[in-house]
Amino acid sequence: MPVIRKKLAGYVGFANLPNQVHRKSVRKGFQFTAMVVGESGLGKSTLINTLFNTPLYPPKDSLPPSAERPKTVVIESIGADIEENGVRLHLTVVDTPGFGDFVNNDESWRPIVENIESRFDSYLEQENRVNRQKIVDNRVHACLYFIQPTGHSLKQIDIEFMRRLHTRVNLIPIIAKADTLTDEEVRDFKARILADIAYHKIHIFQAPTYENEDEETLAEAAEIASKIPFAVVGSDSLVETADGREVRGRAYPWGVVEVDNEEHCDFVKLRQMLVRTYMEELREYTNDVLYENWRTEKLLSMGVAQDSSVFREINPSAKIQEERIMHEAKLAKMEAEMKMVFQQKVQEKESKLKQSEEELYARHKDMKESLEKQRTDLEEKKRRIESGRPLTPEKNATKNRRFLR
Ligand code: GDP
């Protein structure tokens, strides 16, 4: 259908649609679930508290000693409703205490994959209900993976975890406690981590860019992408800088590392990626790609034919491939149909020919028989005439023939 561009003569009002959507979503509030994974002591709880500027995690020393060291990887969630300028965010942080803390960490990733998939399961189950009015989205929208600041390269456990998880969750790799490394060490460490990630074909979340995007947005996305893996410093307490400012940071004899200073660490860029600019993209990618692919796999494994429209929309090569297969199948079907019609016509013709051949044969036989009969009759007549006997009707002729014998 051709699209006609028209200038409106007056104000109609649909320009207000974004405001309507905005009001509605503000009223409904937002749900966001972030998962944190990494060995204990890497600063996960501190960073979450720093990110949302709220003491979401209770101080560790308030917990009983038995709560600190689980025997296996356990999954714990902390939920909080936070509000900023009238916008409500229901934030859930999923922690995975115990990950990487044992002598044998071979299967550390397994309970985490199972947890993420069981959240998909619960969403699918809600989608399949008759009443789908109140779907609670507990799916994990982002996974902050904390890398130990060794300065070497990724460890086996890091690679194994990311390899197992990257098709199920938006991975955001983080170099923990970056203040323990020099700038040079951070730079080299980042390069080695990225090389490992590329070598193992691990997909990490990238800020998306769209066609016709303005230069500012493109520059922002590129800036964020250039910082991955984010080298962060977390602190939920205020310290005083040499010039007398009160900042969130960590004080050292040689000076203060400021959390919110982009010269000091990538915290600001991480917050931009996770909260300020791409939270909605993380939710969307989780729903449209990660969840949709999982759902397709699950339904196919259950033998249900797939409705792959959403997947095809996002994956153009799969779309082309599918269209090619459909086209070939259509051609093959047409060819088969034409062959069938042709065969049918040939058969019809053959049977018609056979029928007329039989008719001809029957007619020929009749004619032959009647000619034969005429010939014997004539011969009989001829014999009688020659023998001087009178011509009698057939009946008498038979009688006479008997007398004559
Ligand atoms: P978790 O076990 O991963 O949740 O780690 P915590 O957040 O409890 O932090 C463990 C210890 O590391 C605490 O003493 C924190 O004060 C400290 N810590 C947290 N973040 C940082 C950081 O960015 N740099 C440094 N040097 N220490 C940190």
Side-chain angles (χ1 to χ4, degrees), residues 38-47 57 60 95 176-180 232-235 250 252:
E39 290 159 45
S40 62
L42 284 184
K44 299 184 294 294
S45 30
T46 310
L47 189 81
Y57 274 88
K60 290 264 160 83
D95 199 354
K177 297 185 173 178
D179 53 327
T180 60
V232 295
V233 176
S235 166
R250 306 191 83 87
Y252 287 97

Short mmCIF file of all heavy atoms in Angstrom, two decimals, residues 38-47 57 60 95 176-180 232-235 250 252, ligand 1:
data_model
loop_
_atom_site.label_atom_id
_atom_site.label_comp_id
_atom_site.label_asym_id
_atom_site.label_seq_id
_atom_site.Cartn_x
_atom_site.Cartn_y
_atom_site.Cartn_z
N GLY A 38 29.36 -13.92 40.65
CA GLY A 38 30.80 -13.76 40.85
C GLY A 38 31.18 -14.30 42.21
O GLY A 38 30.31 -14.44 43.09
N GLU A 39 32.46 -14.59 42.35
CA GLU A 39 32.92 -15.12 43.64
C GLU A 39 32.57 -14.16 44.77
O GLU A 39 32.45 -12.95 44.53
CB GLU A 39 34.44 -15.30 43.60
CG GLU A 39 34.87 -16.42 42.68
CD GLU A 39 36.33 -16.26 42.27
OE1 GLU A 39 37.16 -15.98 43.15
OE2 GLU A 39 36.60 -16.41 41.07
N SER A 40 32.46 -14.71 45.98
CA SER A 40 32.12 -13.82 47.10
C SER A 40 33.30 -12.90 47.40
O SER A 40 34.46 -13.25 47.18
CB SER A 40 31.71 -14.63 48.32
OG SER A 40 32.78 -15.42 48.73
N GLY A 41 32.97 -11.71 47.83
CA GLY A 41 33.98 -10.73 48.17
C GLY A 41 34.42 -9.86 47.01
O GLY A 41 35.33 -9.04 47.15
N LEU A 42 33.79 -10.03 45.84
CA LEU A 42 34.19 -9.21 44.68
C LEU A 42 33.49 -7.85 44.65
O LEU A 42 33.69 -7.06 43.74
CB LEU A 42 33.93 -9.96 43.37
CG LEU A 42 34.90 -11.09 43.00
CD1 LEU A 42 34.58 -11.67 41.63
CD2 LEU A 42 36.34 -10.58 43.02
N GLY A 43 32.63 -7.62 45.63
CA GLY A 43 31.97 -6.31 45.72
C GLY A 43 30.63 -6.24 45.01
O GLY A 43 30.20 -5.15 44.59
N LYS A 44 29.95 -7.38 44.92
CA LYS A 44 28.66 -7.40 44.20
C LYS A 44 27.59 -6.60 44.94
O LYS A 44 26.93 -5.75 44.36
CB LYS A 44 28.18 -8.86 44.01
CG LYS A 44 29.13 -9.72 43.20
CD LYS A 44 28.60 -11.09 42.95
CE LYS A 44 28.44 -11.92 44.18
NZ LYS A 44 29.73 -12.25 44.83
N SER A 45 27.46 -6.90 46.26
CA SER A 45 26.40 -6.19 46.99
C SER A 45 26.72 -4.70 47.10
O SER A 45 25.82 -3.87 46.96
CB SER A 45 26.19 -6.81 48.38
OG SER A 45 27.37 -7.36 48.87
N THR A 46 27.98 -4.38 47.24
CA THR A 46 28.34 -2.95 47.33
C THR A 46 27.98 -2.25 46.02
O THR A 46 27.42 -1.15 46.03
CB THR A 46 29.86 -2.81 47.58
OG1 THR A 46 30.22 -3.66 48.66
CG2 THR A 46 30.25 -1.39 47.89
N LEU A 47 28.27 -2.91 44.90
CA LEU A 47 28.00 -2.25 43.62
C LEU A 47 26.50 -2.05 43.38
O LEU A 47 26.08 -1.00 42.88
CB LEU A 47 28.60 -3.06 42.45
CG LEU A 47 28.52 -2.28 41.15
CD1 LEU A 47 29.66 -1.27 41.05
CD2 LEU A 47 28.55 -3.18 39.94
N TYR A 57 21.10 -4.28 49.90
CA TYR A 57 21.68 -5.41 50.62
C TYR A 57 21.90 -5.01 52.07
O TYR A 57 22.47 -3.94 52.33
CB TYR A 57 23.05 -5.77 50.04
CG TYR A 57 22.99 -6.71 48.86
CD1 TYR A 57 22.86 -6.23 47.57
CD2 TYR A 57 23.09 -8.08 49.06
CE1 TYR A 57 22.83 -7.08 46.49
CE2 TYR A 57 23.07 -8.94 47.98
CZ TYR A 57 22.94 -8.43 46.70
OH TYR A 57 22.91 -9.29 45.63
N LYS A 60 26.80 -6.92 55.60
CA LYS A 60 27.18 -8.34 55.77
C LYS A 60 27.35 -8.72 57.25
O LYS A 60 27.02 -9.82 57.65
CB LYS A 60 28.48 -8.64 55.01
CG LYS A 60 28.30 -8.64 53.49
CD LYS A 60 28.06 -10.03 52.93
CE LYS A 60 27.43 -9.98 51.56
NZ LYS A 60 28.34 -9.78 50.46
N ASP A 95 20.79 -12.81 43.54
CA ASP A 95 22.19 -13.06 43.91
C ASP A 95 22.44 -14.57 43.83
O ASP A 95 21.51 -15.37 43.92
CB ASP A 95 22.43 -12.53 45.33
CG ASP A 95 23.91 -12.34 45.61
OD1 ASP A 95 24.72 -12.72 44.74
OD2 ASP A 95 24.25 -11.81 46.68
N ALA A 176 35.71 -6.39 38.58
CA ALA A 176 35.41 -5.95 39.94
C ALA A 176 36.61 -5.21 40.54
O ALA A 176 37.75 -5.41 40.12
CB ALA A 176 35.06 -7.17 40.79
N LYS A 177 36.32 -4.38 41.49
CA LYS A 177 37.35 -3.69 42.29
C LYS A 177 38.49 -3.15 41.42
O LYS A 177 39.66 -3.45 41.66
CB LYS A 177 37.91 -4.65 43.34
CG LYS A 177 36.87 -5.13 44.35
CD LYS A 177 37.53 -5.97 45.41
CE LYS A 177 36.58 -6.35 46.53
NZ LYS A 177 37.19 -7.20 47.54
N ALA A 178 38.11 -2.38 40.42
CA ALA A 178 39.12 -1.91 39.45
C ALA A 178 40.16 -1.00 40.08
O ALA A 178 41.22 -0.77 39.52
CB ALA A 178 38.42 -1.19 38.29
N ASP A 179 39.85 -0.49 41.29
CA ASP A 179 40.83 0.38 41.96
C ASP A 179 42.07 -0.39 42.41
O ASP A 179 43.07 0.22 42.80
CB ASP A 179 40.18 1.10 43.16
CG ASP A 179 39.50 0.12 44.11
OD1 ASP A 179 38.97 -0.89 43.62
OD2 ASP A 179 39.49 0.36 45.33
N THR A 180 42.01 -1.73 42.34
CA THR A 180 43.18 -2.51 42.74
C THR A 180 44.14 -2.72 41.56
O THR A 180 45.17 -3.36 41.71
CB THR A 180 42.76 -3.89 43.30
OG1 THR A 180 42.04 -4.58 42.27
CG2 THR A 180 41.88 -3.77 44.54
N VAL A 232 34.88 -1.32 37.30
CA VAL A 232 34.11 -0.50 38.25
C VAL A 232 34.69 -0.49 39.66
O VAL A 232 35.44 -1.38 40.07
CB VAL A 232 32.64 -0.96 38.33
CG1 VAL A 232 31.93 -0.75 37.02
CG2 VAL A 232 32.55 -2.41 38.77
N VAL A 233 34.28 0.54 40.37
CA VAL A 233 34.61 0.66 41.79
C VAL A 233 33.28 0.93 42.48
O VAL A 233 32.48 1.75 42.01
CB VAL A 233 35.57 1.84 42.01
CG1 VAL A 233 35.84 2.03 43.51
CG2 VAL A 233 36.87 1.64 41.26
N GLY A 234 33.03 0.21 43.55
CA GLY A 234 31.78 0.43 44.28
C GLY A 234 32.07 0.94 45.67
O GLY A 234 33.11 0.63 46.27
N SER A 235 31.17 1.76 46.14
CA SER A 235 31.30 2.23 47.53
C SER A 235 29.97 2.85 47.93
O SER A 235 29.40 3.64 47.18
CB SER A 235 32.38 3.30 47.62
OG SER A 235 32.27 3.97 48.85
N ARG A 250 36.44 5.56 47.44
CA ARG A 250 37.29 4.80 48.36
C ARG A 250 38.56 5.61 48.60
O ARG A 250 39.20 6.08 47.65
CB ARG A 250 37.61 3.43 47.78
CG ARG A 250 36.38 2.63 47.39
CD ARG A 250 36.69 1.20 47.07
NE ARG A 250 36.76 0.40 48.28
CZ ARG A 250 35.71 -0.18 48.86
NH1 ARG A 250 34.51 -0.04 48.33
NH2 ARG A 250 35.85 -0.88 49.95
N TYR A 252 42.35 6.22 49.79
CA TYR A 252 43.65 5.57 49.92
C TYR A 252 44.66 6.60 50.39
O TYR A 252 44.42 7.81 50.25
CB TYR A 252 44.08 5.00 48.55
CG TYR A 252 43.29 3.77 48.17
CD1 TYR A 252 42.19 3.88 47.32
CD2 TYR A 252 43.64 2.53 48.68
CE1 TYR A 252 41.46 2.76 46.97
CE2 TYR A 252 42.89 1.39 48.33
CZ TYR A 252 41.81 1.51 47.47
OH TYR A 252 41.09 0.41 47.15
P1 GDP B 1 30.18 -9.58 47.65
O1 GDP B 1 30.47 -10.76 48.50
O2 GDP B 1 30.58 -9.84 46.24
O3 GDP B 1 28.76 -9.10 47.75
O4 GDP B 1 31.14 -8.40 48.10
P2 GDP B 1 30.85 -7.17 49.06
O5 GDP B 1 30.07 -6.12 48.34
O6 GDP B 1 30.30 -7.64 50.36
O7 GDP B 1 32.33 -6.60 49.25
C1 GDP B 1 33.33 -7.34 49.87
C2 GDP B 1 34.42 -6.38 50.38
O8 GDP B 1 35.00 -5.70 49.29
C3 GDP B 1 33.87 -5.32 51.30
O9 GDP B 1 34.81 -5.10 52.32
C4 GDP B 1 33.76 -4.08 50.43
O10 GDP B 1 33.93 -2.89 51.15
C5 GDP B 1 34.90 -4.28 49.47
N1 GDP B 1 34.64 -3.68 48.17
C6 GDP B 1 33.47 -3.60 47.53
N2 GDP B 1 33.61 -2.98 46.35
C7 GDP B 1 34.91 -2.66 46.26
C8 GDP B 1 35.70 -1.98 45.26
O11 GDP B 1 35.21 -1.55 44.21
N3 GDP B 1 37.03 -1.81 45.52
C9 GDP B 1 37.61 -2.27 46.65
N4 GDP B 1 38.88 -2.08 46.81
N5 GDP B 1 36.90 -2.91 47.58
C10 GDP B 1 35.58 -3.10 47.40
#
